[in-house]
Amino acid sequence: MSRQQKIIKTSIIGIIVNLILVVFKAVIGILTNSIAITLDAVNNLTDALSSIITIIGAKLAGKKPDKKHPYGYGRIEYFSSVIIAAIVLWAGITSFMESWPKIFTPDVTNYTTVSLIIIAVAVIVKFILGQYVKKIGENINSQALVASGSDAFFDAILSLSTLIAAIISIFFHISLEGILGVIISIVIIKASIDMLKETVDSMIGARIDSDLSKKIKKSIKEIPKVHGAYDLSLHNYGPESMQGSVHVEVDDTLTALEIHTLTRQIQNKIFSEFSIALTIGIYAKNDKYEYIRQYLEEITNEYEEILETHGFIVLEDKNIVMFDLIVDFDANRETIKNNILEKLKEKYPEFTYYIIDDYDISD
């Protein structure tokens, strides 16, 4: 079963379960005059709508690349996640507006044994559904499914609190409907904001996952003749489509044919292990001037703000030394660069030095 088919199947299950819960909760809410249960039914309805949008998003995202969109349509899934977050946010705000007045003017509720049993069953069903949907979403890297699963889990907790409030109302004749409705609304609003933030981060371009970055670089350095892997940059074109680039350091004695063969080997290895298409850049390593490189490392080790130096090369015919410098985003980059240049010129004045600014985009 393909990823798209799994998303659709899981979403259909969510739609069916949520619609059944909508009917039961709406009937109970009306019969018992319980705003908390009625709002819970509305929340289940938005869950069903979210699953429908997830299906539509998965269908559109599954379209094959074409001339107009050569990277495919995978990012449409992120837009569907934004729409789902907006729907959940709207439901939370509406629930809050309905619940707040009930704190000061509570309605009289009339719970029955049957209604309490149905609420209890709903708690169990939503908990199981939430765990199932979230697990599938995590396995296939679907933010929409993960969000739906988390939302269902919250629903189970909130329904449980509704059940507790109903029991308190029966035995102690205290109405917690308005307060509970406000709590439900706040939790829904927070969940929607968290969902929106996570999706927007993916759309903007968040930092590469640290574990993934380290695994890719480690895999590259396992290949013979590769001395280091740097400047890893990944671009997400949907949950299933990722491309990027990386620089590898090799001996400057390698021929063009050897470099060509090596870069192909790296590309094939990374794609087979991570399903990521990489473009490979080259840094040449010249051992003749290793003494300058070692001195550079001694200098940079004095600064906690310096995360890495790489791309070191000496152009003999012009007496030029070049290298890349990665400095922490919060550090004073220019001051650090000037200090390093002064020390290098003082030690080896016969060379001209160029520092290329690099940025901390991956671990």
Side-chain angles (χ1 to χ4, degrees), residues 231-243:
D231 305 327
L232 177 63
S233 175
L234 297 180
H235 308 287
N236 194 327
Y237 294 97
E240 286 191 295
S241 178
M242 189 174 289
Q243 300 183 24

Side-chain angles (χ1 to χ4, degrees), residues 55-322:
I55 292 174
I56 295 173
K59 280 285 189 180
L60 293 175
K63 291 177 62 178
K64 294 182 179 180
D66 52 37
K67 188 172 183 178
K68 191 173 182 180
H69 299 93
Y71 296 107
Y73 293 79
R75 284 181 174 172
I76 289 179
E77 279 197 36
Y78 299 139
F79 288 101
S80 65
S81 297
V82 169
I83 295 172
I84 292 171
I87 291 172
V88 176
L89 179 61
W90 171 81
I93 294 173
T94 303
S95 298
F96 185 87
M97 294 174 64
E98 291 287 338
S99 301
W100 181 256
K102 300 296 181 181
I103 296 178
F104 309 101
T105 56
D107 292 328
V108 178
T109 54
N110 300 294
Y111 294 106
T112 65
T113 303
V114 174
S115 65
L116 295 179
I117 292 174
I118 292 178
I119 295 173
V121 172
V123 170
I124 298 172
V125 171
K126 288 295 285 186
F127 178 79
I128 295 174
L129 177 65
Q131 294 296 96
Y132 170 74
V133 173
K134 186 176 181 180
K135 183 178 180 181
I136 297 295
E138 290 173 343
N139 288 341
I140 63 176
N141 191 24
S142 170
Q143 287 186 352
L145 285 183
V146 170
S148 295
S150 299
D151 191 29
F153 177 76
F154 281 126
D155 288 347
I157 300 299
L158 296 174
S159 295
L160 178 61
S161 63
T162 302
L163 181 62
I164 294 173
I167 295 173
I168 292 174
S169 176
I170 292 172
F171 289 98
F172 299 99
H173 306 289
I174 300 174
S175 177
L176 299 177
E177 296 293 324
I179 296 174
L180 184 58
V182 168
I183 294 174
I184 290 174
S185 303
I186 293 173
V187 173
I188 293 173
I189 291 171
K190 182 183 183 303
S192 66
I193 292 174
D194 290 343
M195 187 192 313
L196 187 61
K197 181 179 180 300
E198 182 180 354
T199 305
V200 170
D201 281 345
S202 296
M203 295 173 70
I204 293 174
R207 184 181 181 84
I208 303 170
D209 178 75
S210 179
D211 289 339
L212 177 61
S213 174
K214 291 175 181 177
K215 287 178 181 177
I216 292 175
K217 290 180 179 180
K218 181 176 181 293
S219 178
I220 292 173
K221 287 186 286 187
E222 289 173 353
I223 298 176
K225 298 183 181 180
V226 174
H227 298 296
Y230 310 97
D231 305 327
L232 177 63
S233 175
L234 297 180
H235 308 287
N236 194 327
Y237 294 97
E240 286 191 295
S241 178
M242 189 174 289
Q243 300 183 24
S245 60
V246 68
H247 279 91
V248 296
E249 187 177 57
V250 299
D251 291 330
D252 63 353
T253 56
L254 294 183
T255 65
L257 179 58
E258 288 174 323
I259 292 174
H260 179 91
T261 303
L262 181 63
T263 56
R264 290 295 189 190
Q265 184 181 356
I266 295 169
Q267 288 172 329
N268 293 336
K269 187 173 191 288
I270 297 305
F271 190 80
S272 65
E273 292 179 3
F274 303 97
S275 297
I276 296 174
L278 283 183
T279 299
I280 313 296
I282 298 296
Y283 286 138
K285 184 176 186 293
N286 189 331
D287 293 332
K288 181 178 180 180
Y289 296 94
E290 187 65 22
Y291 63 94
I292 301 179
R293 182 172 184 161
Q294 289 178 355
Y295 181 63
L296 173 63
E297 289 181 1
E298 291 178 12
I299 299 173
T300 55
N301 286 337
E302 298 175 3
Y303 296 87
E304 292 182 359
E305 301 91 339
I306 296 178
L307 305 179
E308 186 179 78
T309 59
H310 58 257
F312 180 90
I313 189 68
V314 177
L315 306 180
E316 287 186 292
D317 57 336
K318 299 180 180 179
N319 276 6
I320 291 177
V321 176
M322 302 173 63

